Structure formats: structure tokens, C-alpha cells
Amino acid sequence: MSLILEVPSGFMDLTFDSICTFPLASDLFTLAIHTSSPVVALGLASGHVQLQRLPSLPSSPSLKAKAKAPSTNGHGTIETVWRTRRHRGSCRSLVFSADGDHLLTAGTDGILKVASTDTGEVTAKIAVPSDPSGAPDSPTLLHTLSPQTLLLATDSSALHLFDLRSDSTFISPRPQQTHHPHYDFVSSLAPLAPSDTSTSGSCRQWLSTGGSTIAITDIRKGVVYESDDFEEELLSSTVLGGAESGKIIAGGEKGFLRMWDGCIKGVINGKEKRLYVRKGECLDVLCPVPQEVVEDDMVAVGLGDGTVSFTRTGKRPGVISHVRHHDLEGVSALGFDPDGRLITGGGNTVKVWEKNTEISDGEASLIDDDQEESDEMEDGNGVVSRANGHEASEEESSDEEKPKRKKRKRNKARGRHNNNHILAFKGLD
């Protein structure tokens, strides 16, 4: 049984101003943000990977770690640290190691590479395992579950676990485990925080969406939970708070969030609650809003219509405000850097947003079964910022792949696989 939540009005708006627009010539497939420095890695359809450094804010703890920050007021130029053609074909996914010292990338050439974050120099590479028929199996997602564990999802619905040494310079040539938590490719991954009784303090379980189901997988026990068929394509997921006391959230193609009150022993707990963001619109990406930005439980939702909706999920839930990333292209990547700035990617553009501290009273925007929100949303005045950088040399050819939208017609039978379902991030070069 599901509960449809109604949203009261009279909230204080959470708004962001666009402070930089970074135009790109090649489609963006993926984006990763460093956990402790204002650094963003971009994976492109052309096979290029590039590292961008944002200006640091005066109060940023990253200033001490990076003495050569290009700015101390947060409004300088975006520096290109390095850029290289890393893969033959598209760079499908990338992720920083747990310590941030290395960047892991995977491409349609079937190669997983580990490189230095500072220089871009490759330190290790292995082949992505083939699908059951022996054909190449392109990657869809990378995720560092812990300093020792790397998750790699592929088009064939496989989810591989690799042993990643703590210094990030060595990765095992073969996966230690392989699971198939879904009948279709894995569209999103979200780690479940360790329980209060955990002695290691490391994540050992993760939530995933794929096709029209949700699953929970345990590093020791394998797949421990599989949901029923939700009759819609699930595209994104996230977890707020701890696994048992937090909130599990998933977004799909129908425009509403599905929410549960955590999980107990690997089983999702409580009744499903639904919260409309925009009826009939794809919710392509979810990202928790940091507590440093807003104290309430809130997620930023990237939609297929090019907007980002800030949605409260705790008490008095509802859509609080919106920003528009693009008029024509959907939001395919978003996140927050260590300084609390919002970074969005989609189309041929990456934008950097800063929280507007001059907040005025406003009413929450609610999209319900009988109402659609206007497409007229104000876009911040972004300043185009380009900067000089150096390009690391890695001579590889590229067959550029066009990212596809996640939303697909649900006409696939269980067990069939479709290769046209990648995480689409358009535009950055």
C-alpha cells in the first residue's frame, strides 16, 4: 500500500544562483566530485577525461590542503588541471578512490583504468569481464564502496566486486564476486551506512535500482533483498541517514519519489510513501543536500526537463524550489562540492551554483495528480568561464558515442538485456 503525501505551503525557499557556465563541445557521460577538494572529474563521449579545479572559498578547509588554489574568494576561474583521451570510445563512468588520490574510469573499450588525480598518469588497468556469451560488456557504473572494494556494473546486468588495495595503485585482475541483482542493467547504486554495531565502520551493503525493481546486496551474503515489480522504470536512488534510521529514496519515469523508512537486516522497512516532483517527468538523478547547506532532510532531483528540484523528505515534505540547468536537455549529473556549491551537468553545459543567502518567504511548489507546474523558471545569469590548462598525452582514437536518455519503453521480458540504457551525461569538453 502506498501513501500519497500532500505538501503544505509557506516554506522558506532554498535558492541557488548560477555563478559559472562551462560550455562543452563533446557530450558528457559522467561526472564525479572530489570529497575533500573543489575538484570535478568529467567523462566524455569522445573518450576524454578531464579534471577541473574550482576556486576555493575563504572558509574552505581545502585551502590548507591545496596551497595553489586559483582563488580565495570562490569567484575565480575554473582551472583545467589535466585532460587526456583516456578511452577508445566513450568514457561511461568514473569515480574517485576513497582517499581521493586516484581516479578510476571505465569506457566502452572494455578497459578499467586507475590514474593519479594530480597528474592523470595511469597506474593500473584491467579488462572489464565479458558478458556470458563472451561478447564485450560495456560498463555503466563505478562506485567505491570502501577503500578495499570497487563496484562495477555493466550493460548485461552484471555487478562485479573488485578488490581495491588501500593505496589505490593495484586492482585485482578478476572480480572477487559477481551478482545479478536485477534482470536489467543497474541504473543506480547507493551505499547503506554501517549499523551501530559494526566493528569495521565500512559499508558492506548497498541499494541498487535496475529495470523496475530495487535490490539490496551484501558483500558477504550476496543479494539479500529483491523488491516486487513496481511497473515503472526506476532510474535513481539515494539514502539519507543511517540504513536503519534513515530514509531510502528512489526515483523513476513517472515523476514521483518512492520513500521508505530505512531497512532492517537488509529488508526495506515500513510502507512506501510517494511524493510527486513533476508528474510524468523522469527523475534521472538524486543527490542528498548536505546538512551544511540546509539542515532539513532534502534531496536535489535532476529532471529530464532540465530542472533541478529541491525536495524536502522529512517533516512537511514537498518541493521547495527549482533551478533550471538547461532549456532543452535533461539534468544527467549533479552533486555538491566540499564548499557547498551545486554542480549540474546536462546537454553541452556544466554549471556551478552558489546558495542564495538572501532568502525570501515563498510557497512550496507542488505537482500533484491534477496539476502541472509551469515550465517558466528563472535561470541564473551564468558567466562563461574558460581557463588554460595542460593536456596529458595518451594517444588513443575515439569513436564518439551519443548518450541516450534513461527512459525507455517497458516492453522487455525478464532476462532480456538492452544495451541502449546508459547513464547519459551530455556535454563537457
Side-chain angles (χ1 to χ4, degrees):
M1 181 178 179
S2 302
L3 300 177
I4 304 293
L5 300 178
E6 295 184 357
V7 185
S9 61
F11 289 124
M12 298 292 286
D13 288 337
L14 172 67
T15 62
F16 286 81
D17 294 327
S18 176
I19 60 174
C20 178
T21 298
F22 193 77
L24 304 156
S26 182
D27 292 336
L28 174 69
F29 257 99
T30 183
L31 177 155
I33 302 173
H34 200 281
T35 57
S36 60
S37 299
V39 170
V40 182
L42 311 174
L44 311 183
S46 61
H48 285 85
V49 174
Q50 59 192 62
L51 199 74
Q52 311 293 147
R53 186 182 305 283
L54 277 61
S56 294
L57 298 176
S59 59
S60 172
S62 61
L63 280 178
K64 296 180 180 180
K66 301 292 182 181
K68 296 182 179 180
S71 173
T72 57
N73 62 8
H75 294 279
T77 59
I78 294 181
E79 175 192 4
T80 301
V81 182
W82 53 263
R83 181 177 182 275
T84 182
R85 182 170 293 165
R86 176 96 326 143
H87 295 280
R88 301 177 188 272
S90 302
C91 176
R92 281 282 192 88
S93 185
L94 50 75
V95 67
F96 286 102
S97 61
D99 57 14
D101 291 341
H102 291 81
L103 181 68
L104 295 87
T105 66
T108 53
D109 55 2
I111 303 295
L112 172 63
K113 296 185 179 182
V114 184
S116 166
T117 298
D118 290 336
T119 66
E121 181 181 358
V122 174
T123 59
K125 55 185 177 180
I126 64 168
V128 175
S130 302
D131 69 13
S133 68
D137 198 8
S138 294
T140 57
L141 282 175
L142 285 174
H143 185 83
T144 46
L145 186 67
S146 70
Q148 293 79 31
T149 306
L150 174 72
L151 304 179
L152 169 65
T154 68
D155 273 344
S156 71
S157 81
L159 182 59
H160 303 291
L161 278 72
F162 287 90
D163 176 26
L164 186 66
R165 299 292 174 87
S166 58
D167 62 2
S168 301
T169 58
F170 175 82
I171 185 170
S172 57
R174 298 180 181 275
Q176 271 57 55
Q177 302 176 37
T178 297
H179 304 288
H180 290 267
H182 307 280
Y183 66 88
D184 206 345
F185 79 111
V186 178
S187 57
S188 70
L189 292 170
L192 295 173
S195 64
D196 296 335
T197 59
S198 173
T199 57
S200 65
S202 299
C203 296
R204 295 184 178 275
Q205 293 184 334
W206 59 92
L207 176 81
S208 62
T209 59
S212 55
T213 62
I214 293 175
I216 295 176
T217 308
D218 189 287
I219 195 172
R220 297 157 296 184
K221 303 176 183 178
V223 179
V224 296
Y225 173 82
E226 294 179 80
S227 74
D228 295 331
D229 193 321
F230 287 110
E231 298 298 328
E232 76 158 324
E233 196 80 17
L234 297 179
L235 307 171
S236 54
S237 64
T238 191
V239 179
L240 297 180
E244 297 182 2
S245 59
K247 192 178 295 292
I248 291 174
I249 305 173
E253 64 182 350
K254 294 184 178 180
F256 59 81
L257 296 175
R258 300 176 183 267
M259 302 186 294
W260 296 268
D261 294 328
C263 67
I264 298 177
K265 295 182 179 180
V267 178
I268 290 181
N269 184 38
K271 295 181 180 179
E272 175 193 346
K273 300 175 183 178
R274 296 182 182 181
L275 177 62
Y276 270 108
V277 179
R278 171 169 288 195
K279 187 176 180 180
E281 193 61 61
C282 290
L283 309 184
D284 287 329
V285 58
L286 300 178
C287 177
V289 179
Q291 293 290 312
E292 294 78 8
V293 176
V294 61
E295 294 182 357
D296 296 320
D297 289 339
M298 190 175 294
V299 293
V301 185
L303 281 76
D305 65 355
T307 62
V308 177
S309 294
F310 301 97
T311 307
R312 192 196 303 265
T313 61
K315 295 181 179 179
R316 305 173 71 196
V319 178
I320 307 305
S321 60
H322 311 270
V323 296
R324 179 171 290 282
H325 170 80
H326 202 284
D327 291 328
L328 301 176
E329 299 288 346
V331 177
S332 48
L334 63 85
F336 291 86
D337 77 351
D339 294 326
R341 290 170 295 198
L342 173 68
I343 300 172
T344 61
N348 295 319
T349 306
V350 169
K351 287 187 176 182
V352 182
W353 307 76
E354 194 170 62
K355 181 182 177 182
N356 185 352
T357 56
E358 298 179 359
I359 301 176
S360 60
D361 290 331
E363 293 186 355
S365 296
L366 170 64
I367 299 90
D368 56 27
D369 291 298
D370 303 315
Q371 177 183 357
E372 276 197 27
E373 181 190 353
S374 169
D375 285 334
E376 295 181 1
M377 297 184 183
E378 183 176 353
D379 189 8
N381 296 322
V383 178
V384 176
S385 176
R386 299 295 295 268
N388 293 328
H390 66 273
E391 179 170 330
S393 176
E394 190 167 336
E395 295 185 4
E396 297 179 356
S397 62
S398 170
D399 295 325
E400 186 164 336
E401 178 184 10
K402 181 73 173 179
K404 311 289 193 306
R405 284 290 301 277
K406 287 184 185 178
K407 183 176 180 180
R408 293 167 289 136
K409 294 181 180 179
R410 299 191 64 256
N411 59 357
K412 300 177 291 298
R414 180 174 294 271
R416 293 181 60 189
H417 306 302
N418 189 328
N419 288 338
N420 296 324
H421 41 49
I422 53 182
L423 287 179
F425 293 97
K426 293 190 64 177
L428 303 168
D429 192 17

